Amino acid sequence: MRPTVHDIAAAAGVSLATVDRVLNQRPGVRHVTREKVETAIREIGYVRDVAAANLAKGRTYSFVFIVPASDNSFMHGLNAEVMAAVARSPVERTDIRTLEVPAFDPTALAAALDTLRIERPAGVALVATDAPEVRDAVDRLVQDGIPVVTVVSDLTGSQRHHYAGVDNIAAGRTAARLLGRFLGGAKGDVAVLAGSMLVRDHRERLEGFAAVMAEEFPGLSILPVIEGRDDPDMAHMLVSDALSKRDGIIGVYSLGAGNRGLIRALKEKSVDRALTVIAHELTDHTRTALLDGTIDAILNQDAGHEVRSAIRVLKAKADGLSVIDAQERIRLDIFLKDNLP
Amino acid sequence: MRPTVHDIAAAAGVSLATVDRVLNQRPGVRHVTREKVETAIREIGYVRDVAAANLAKGRTYSFVFIVPASDNSFMHGLNAEVMAAVARSPVERTDIRTLEVPAFDPTALAAALDTLRIERPAGVALVATDAPEVRDAVDRLVQDGIPVVTVVSDLTGSQRHHYAGVDNIAAGRTAARLLGRFLGGAKGDVAVLAGSMLVRDHRERLEGFAAVMAEEFPGLSILPVIEGRDDPDMAHMLVSDALSKRDGIIGVYSLGAGNRGLIRALKEKSVDRALTVIAHELTDHTRTALLDGTIDAILNQDAGHEVRSAIRVLKAKADGLSVIDAQERIRLDIFLKDNLP
DNA sequence: CCATTTTTGATGTACGTAAATCAGATTTTT
DNA sequence: AAAAATCTGATTTACGTACATCAAAAATGG
């Protein structure tokens, strides 16, 4: 049987009340006594029964999820996953609330974070906009002892406890290698469609992509990045334009959202030329395009996993428990026609 | 607040004891009363607090993991993951025991399963050998009300509750498309190295591989399958032999274990020819080979995820709870040089 | 309609922990 | 050495469920 608080009390030769004071860092225990109890805890290998503890506390973890109010398919999917978690929340003793903030607006995000310092939830998850004011606001929360995890996009130099998202440099590198290999030894131009170079994940993907292209596929040259602001219409216009002007384009890498517009542009031009295309994020549109051959591969991060992982990590931090690292690593999914879920 | 048993009692106008009798299907409740209680449960949306219930029961889930005593890297990895789960088991109120049975031996496996009918663990996970006697033994366990999940390799036509493993047909198809695309339009022969055609996962991978090759890459022809019995030495010999005899080979698909031998053979021959190689299972050996260019892509199933998923599902079944399907889907990982974990 | 069986209610204990109260024992300060 | 402050112990209640016991009520059989 697992040792209980009673066993600690017996082993340390103190009363249950004292053990409780030590375990829950309540005041009123002399230093020597505290040490004695802590030794006993270590020696008999006591671990708190979290289920029983939460039952006793009547505790519910109140978490806040901050998501950008942006309306591309990926963010909709992320929102849906958070909602699914909310639906499950009573069963898991969690009380999850979402907070929408304007996309790409560091000031609004920082303000929202500061509001939470007063509310003091048991944990905060956010899709970070990579700016100093956001970093500082996050660090203030962390200093206040509130667990914080970033989701999808990380925050440079902050003290957030965890990042639930993919390695975007690796994602860009992978895209480059896939594109390069799929193109065989062909020479030509590669167009890159991004949302905005102001978001860290897009910057990193491009960085990885460019690095591998330069190292390994000298026959392919990257054209200046097209910034479509994750907007389908804008993406459509810009990509159509590029394809008309440059007929040396043989490959496309779409590293952000707004793929609906990209796909439309590709279909319009596909009559007279064959392009190899790698895109990010599996949505209804990209899935269809993959199946009909318009897109050759999709790189994806599973929003559901990210949300569940973020919640697990927040819970563990709130309980002072450790996490299984391998379990929380968010993987980069590569989808071809054949392995779609 | 979540409704409790007291709320049911109040809503149904019966006593706590009666509610308890209904909830735990104890005898001594009239049919009409039982219905009344069940209606109340549904209406107020009661869900049992599993943590409290287990605390009250003092319950620990005793699970048995049946793994084949085969000594390739993948099975070692699987074993290590089971051991890691065992190490965590006290914290999670589980008591996991492993049972080794000879590999590829349906009779031994069926016998082991039948032993468990007497022991009656709270759940059984097994790496299935696909044979009728194993299927029947599994079905007997299921009939006895014991949750059973298959791991890595599934069992045709059985009533197991869940399969924690990848879709092997999709894996084979994906391998074919990757190999085909990587080879550009080149024409030539493709060698396939398998463990044994008696295991379902290997059969299915080949099936998927052959299908896509035939449909989409008519320029590539598949040579008769080499069965290396997942043994490095045997694989080395057979592959070396094949490469010497047929110089039309431009691609290799290794769908089983024993890659150590394959890699050795490839390195010996690589001086005079360039091969495109797709292999299964990420191990130290295949990882090194991927990094040095001997292998071009690795398809992988994460043994840790499979083990944890199997345990989660067994627990849920034992508690009569539902599982999050998306969470339990085991994904096929595709690793290139750039996205190795 | 009484005896018997079946169904229901009332109540208590247990699981492992949290949290509170109050009394008693130490220490520290004056 | 007395007063005050600080520590420690003993005990109790609670969380939501499981499970057992005994008494009371209702339904059933003859």
Side-chain angles (χ1 to χ4, degrees):
Chain A
M1 279 310 279
R2 277 172 74 172
T4 74
V5 279
H6 296 86
D7 299 322
I8 305 176
V14 300
S15 79
L16 248 172
T18 304
V19 173
D20 181 69
R21 287 181 186 116
V22 173
L23 275 178
N24 298 291
Q25 30 229 7
R26 270 185 266 279
V29 184
R30 230 185 336 162
H31 193 69
V32 281
T33 317
R34 167 158 277 138
E35 299 245 295
K36 210 165 54 179
V37 174
E38 277 166 353
T39 310
I41 291 175
R42 254 177 286 111
E43 277 181 356
I44 66 177
Y46 167 85
V47 273
R48 183 200 244 104
D49 183 326
V50 183
N54 288 341
L55 178 59
K57 277 195 253 192
R59 163 170 208 172
T60 55
Y61 304 81
S62 65
F63 294 142
V64 177
F65 244 95
I66 306 180
V67 290
S70 130
D71 83 342
N72 57 68
S73 302
F74 178 73
M75 283 304 164
H76 284 163
L78 187 75
N79 247 298
E81 292 295 346
V82 176
M83 289 312 161
V86 171
R88 279 191 307 273
S89 65
V91 183
E92 294 169 0
R93 285 202 132 65
T94 53
D95 172 24
I96 302 168
R97 196 164 67 80
T98 63
L99 205 60
E100 284 218 339
V101 297
F104 305 120
D105 184 344
T107 316
L109 181 50
L113 287 166
D114 278 326
T115 316
L116 296 177
R117 293 184 68 195
I118 297 144
E119 187 183 327
R120 292 196 61 81
V124 176
L126 72 152
V127 178
T129 306
D130 195 24
E133 54 229 280
V134 177
R135 170 179 28 86
D136 293 342
V138 163
D139 285 354
R140 279 192 290 275
L141 276 177
V142 172
Q143 288 305 318
D144 287 2
I146 298 176
V148 179
V149 310
T150 50
V151 181
V152 180
S153 189
D154 201 5
L155 196 46
T156 311
S158 86
Q159 305 185 30
R160 89 282 183 284
H161 296 88
H162 183 79
Y163 163 56
V166 297
D167 176 343
N168 285 300
I169 295 183
R173 295 181 61 92
T174 304
R177 190 171 308 271
L178 273 178
L179 190 57
R181 295 291 311 249
F182 280 5
L183 284 170
K187 289 190 195 309
D189 296 332
V190 173
V192 176
L193 172 66
S196 156
M197 282 299 105
L198 297 174
V199 219
R200 181 166 168 194
D201 41 347
H202 290 195
R203 275 204 318 275
E204 290 185 340
R205 285 173 191 175
L206 179 61
E207 180 188 334
F209 185 79
V212 169
M213 275 292 165
E215 287 163 22
E216 315 230 6
F217 303 99
L220 298 171
S221 63
I222 303 178
L223 298 177
V225 173
I226 303 171
E227 295 194 39
R229 301 206 61 78
D230 289 357
D231 177 69
D233 292 329
M234 199 161 169
H236 173 249
M237 203 193 68
L238 294 170
V239 172
S240 289
D241 190 51
L243 287 175
S244 306
K245 283 205 193 120
R246 325 261 319 203
D247 54 1
I249 297 179
I250 57 174
V252 178
Y253 175 39
S254 166
L255 54 77
N259 283 317
R260 211 156 56 236
L262 166 74
I263 292 166
R264 197 144 47 86
L266 290 171
K267 281 198 201 279
E268 286 161 11
K269 303 286 168 186
S270 71
V271 280
D272 39 278
R273 61 210 288 192
L275 291 169
T276 298
V277 181
I278 313 277
H280 270 265
E281 314 313 352
L282 183 66
T283 63
D284 287 346
H285 301 100
T286 55
R287 171 192 289 269
T288 310
L290 181 64
L291 287 172
D292 72 19
T294 308
I295 293 181
D296 297 273
I298 295 173
L299 304 188
N300 186 63
Q301 51 187 324
D302 189 315
H305 278 209
E306 293 178 328
V307 169
R308 288 188 292 269
S309 172
I311 294 172
R312 267 197 307 271
V313 171
L314 284 179
K315 231 177 182 174
K317 296 291 173 195
D319 287 333
L321 295 177
S322 63
V323 298
I324 306 172
D325 284 339
Q327 177 163 247
E328 308 309 341
R329 223 195 70 240
I330 304 297
R331 293 180 293 176
L332 178 68
D333 285 325
I334 303 176
F335 292 119
L336 304 182
K337 243 185 182 149
D338 311 286
N339 65 330
L340 280 170
Chain B
M1 281 308 280
R2 277 174 72 171
T4 75
V5 279
H6 295 86
D7 300 320
I8 306 176
V14 299
S15 78
L16 250 172
T18 303
V19 173
D20 181 70
R21 287 180 187 115
V22 173
L23 276 177
N24 297 293
Q25 32 228 6
R26 272 185 263 278
V29 183
R30 234 186 333 163
H31 192 69
V32 281
T33 316
R34 167 158 278 138
E35 300 244 295
K36 209 165 54 179
V37 174
E38 277 165 353
T39 310
I41 291 176
R42 254 178 285 113
E43 278 179 357
I44 66 177
Y46 168 85
V47 272
R48 192 196 302 262
D49 183 327
V50 183
N54 288 340
L55 178 59
K57 278 194 253 190
R59 162 171 208 171
T60 55
Y61 304 81
S62 65
F63 295 141
V64 176
F65 244 95
I66 307 180
V67 290
S70 130
D71 84 342
N72 58 67
S73 303
F74 178 74
M75 282 305 163
H76 284 163
L78 187 75
N79 247 297
E81 291 295 345
V82 176
M83 288 313 161
V86 170
R88 280 191 305 272
S89 64
V91 183
E92 294 169 0
R93 286 203 130 66
T94 52
D95 173 24
I96 302 168
R97 197 163 65 81
T98 64
L99 205 59
E100 284 219 337
V101 297
F104 308 119
D105 184 341
T107 316
L109 181 51
L113 287 166
D114 279 326
T115 316
L116 295 178
R117 294 183 68 193
I118 296 144
E119 187 182 327
R120 292 198 61 82
V124 176
L126 72 151
V127 178
T129 306
D130 195 24
E133 54 229 283
V134 177
R135 171 183 23 90
D136 294 343
V138 162
D139 286 354
R140 279 191 290 274
L141 275 178
V142 173
Q143 288 305 318
D144 287 2
I146 299 176
V148 179
V149 310
T150 49
V151 181
V152 180
S153 188
D154 201 6
L155 196 46
T156 310
S158 87
Q159 306 185 29
R160 89 280 182 286
H161 296 89
H162 183 79
Y163 163 55
V166 298
D167 176 342
N168 285 301
I169 294 181
R173 296 181 61 93
T174 304
R177 190 171 307 271
L178 272 179
L179 190 56
R181 294 292 310 251
F182 280 4
L183 283 171
K187 289 189 193 315
D189 295 332
V190 172
V192 175
L193 172 65
S196 155
M197 283 299 105
L198 297 174
V199 220
R200 182 167 166 193
D201 41 349
H202 290 195
R203 274 205 319 274
E204 289 185 341
R205 286 173 190 175
L206 178 61
E207 181 189 333
F209 185 78
V212 169
M213 275 293 166
E215 287 164 23
E216 316 229 6
F217 302 100
L220 299 171
S221 64
I222 304 179
L223 298 176
V225 173
I226 302 171
E227 295 194 39
R229 302 205 61 77
D230 289 356
D231 178 68
D233 292 330
M234 200 160 167
H236 173 250
M237 203 193 69
L238 294 169
V239 172
S240 290
D241 191 52
L243 287 175
S244 307
K245 281 203 192 119
R246 323 262 319 204
D247 54 2
I249 297 179
I250 58 173
V252 178
Y253 175 39
S254 165
L255 55 77
N259 284 317
R260 210 154 58 234
L262 166 74
I263 293 166
R264 196 144 48 88
L266 290 171
K267 282 198 200 276
E268 286 162 10
K269 303 287 169 186
S270 71
V271 280
D272 40 278
R273 62 210 289 190
L275 291 170
T276 298
V277 181
I278 312 278
H280 270 265
E281 314 313 353
L282 183 67
T283 63
D284 287 345
H285 301 100
T286 55
R287 169 191 289 269
T288 310
L290 181 64
L291 287 172
D292 73 18
T294 307
I295 293 181
D296 297 273
I298 295 173
L299 304 188
N300 186 62
Q301 51 187 325
D302 189 316
H305 278 208
E306 294 178 329
V307 169
R308 289 187 293 269
S309 172
I311 293 171
R312 268 197 305 271
V313 171
L314 284 179
K315 232 176 180 174
K317 296 291 173 195
D319 287 332
L321 295 177
S322 62
V323 298
I324 306 172
D325 284 339
Q327 177 162 243
E328 308 309 342
R329 223 196 69 241
I330 304 296
R331 293 180 293 178
L332 177 68
D333 285 325
I334 303 176
F335 291 119
L336 305 182
K337 242 184 184 155
D338 312 285
N339 65 331
L340 279 170

